[in-house]
Amino acid sequence: MLRSLFGRGRNKPQPARNPIEASIRDAQVGDVLVIHGLALEYDDSYFIVENVHRYGGNGVIWFELVVADADNRIWLEWSDDGAGLFITATDDRRPVGLESIGLSESDLMQMDEQRSIDRSIDVEGLRFIYRNSFEAFYFRDNRPTQGEGFYMWEFLSEDEQRTLAITKFEGVPFEAHFSEIISQENVHLYPGERPDQRSR
């Protein structure tokens, strides 16, 4: 129902109910998110936070927000290493196979062993530079339970506008995901109808 309340364009959060903008760090299910700089069609959209997932690995904790309006769904990831927020977003979460981007499992194993930022791959004319690889854990809905382990490889585009993450969960093929880097000034969060508030 909430998705229909905050559709694109004319349906906006009520200022009286959401007068204060909050940080994406405080995002909870039911909050309202506005995103600029990803695509023009989303600039006037108001998205409801549907899920907040947590990841951890290599000494870093990061979060994934799944947000949606009446017509679209977007996945945002954010982390804060103390130097400021780093935010990525994508509206296409369908995984891409290794063969489609010109990589093999042995290529990834070599990158993991060498740990060299001189390694890179070209995907559709854009160069992605290897940054890191490590074991990580996925905590669905930010639950304080044992996470699901996986391994991941991180790449940054040469123009520093996009990221490529390759993951390998047990029993699942390698998956590649592309995301756009979004400035924190282009992401606005407003407290909304949170489940804990409705239950009071």
Side-chain angles (χ1 to χ4, degrees):
M1 182 178 74
L2 288 174
R3 288 173 59 185
S4 64
L5 294 178
F6 297 100
R8 194 184 304 163
R10 64 183 182 278
N11 296 321
K12 299 184 178 182
Q14 297 297 320
R17 296 179 62 188
N18 300 289
I20 301 175
E21 182 177 343
S23 168
I24 192 174
R25 299 178 181 90
D26 305 314
Q28 295 184 31
V29 173
D31 289 350
V32 178
L33 199 74
V34 179
I35 307 167
H36 299 291
L38 180 60
L40 287 176
E41 63 183 295
Y42 302 139
D43 279 358
D44 294 325
S45 297
Y46 292 82
F47 296 93
I48 299 297
V49 178
E50 293 187 334
N51 301 95
V52 179
H53 306 307
R54 174 168 48 95
Y55 294 83
N58 197 38
V60 178
I61 295 174
W62 70 98
F63 295 85
E64 177 184 59
L65 308 183
V66 183
V67 304
D69 68 359
D71 303 308
N72 305 286
R73 180 168 280 106
I74 293 176
W75 291 259
L76 296 98
E77 293 190 5
W78 70 266
S79 62
D80 187 351
D81 61 2
L85 281 168
F86 181 77
I87 304 172
T88 64
T90 180
D91 59 0
D92 186 359
R93 194 62 175 166
R94 292 174 298 178
V96 177
L98 290 185
E99 186 175 344
S100 298
I101 58 175
L103 278 178
S104 66
E105 182 175 346
S106 61
D107 292 330
L108 292 177
M109 297 304 108
Q110 288 179 9
M111 290 182 186
D112 189 46
E113 292 173 0
Q114 296 172 357
R115 301 295 178 97
S116 172
I117 58 174
D118 291 328
R119 295 295 301 269
S120 64
I121 62 171
D122 291 317
V123 182
E124 296 183 354
L126 184 61
R127 176 164 294 180
F128 286 85
I129 302 168
Y130 169 86
R131 304 299 296 178
N132 206 355
S133 51
F134 53 90
E135 183 180 13
F137 294 87
Y138 166 62
F139 302 86
R140 183 177 179 83
D141 295 321
N142 197 17
R143 294 171 183 163
T145 55
Q146 184 174 354
E148 182 180 0
F150 65 100
Y151 209 83
M152 74 177 299
W153 290 257
E154 294 180 322
F155 299 81
L156 178 66
S157 65
E158 196 170 32
D159 62 3
E160 299 186 349
Q161 298 298 311
R162 303 188 72 192
T163 64
L164 165 62
I166 299 175
T167 60
K168 179 64 175 73
F169 285 81
E170 184 176 356
V172 177
F174 287 88
E175 295 183 349
H177 297 274
F178 295 89
S179 297
E180 303 283 342
I181 297 175
I182 302 293
S183 170
Q184 66 181 76
E185 288 80 15
N186 287 340
V187 179
H188 307 277
L189 181 82
Y190 301 90
E193 288 271 347
R194 296 176 174 177
D196 58 343
Q197 294 174 335
R198 294 197 300 269
S199 62
R200 293 175 184 172

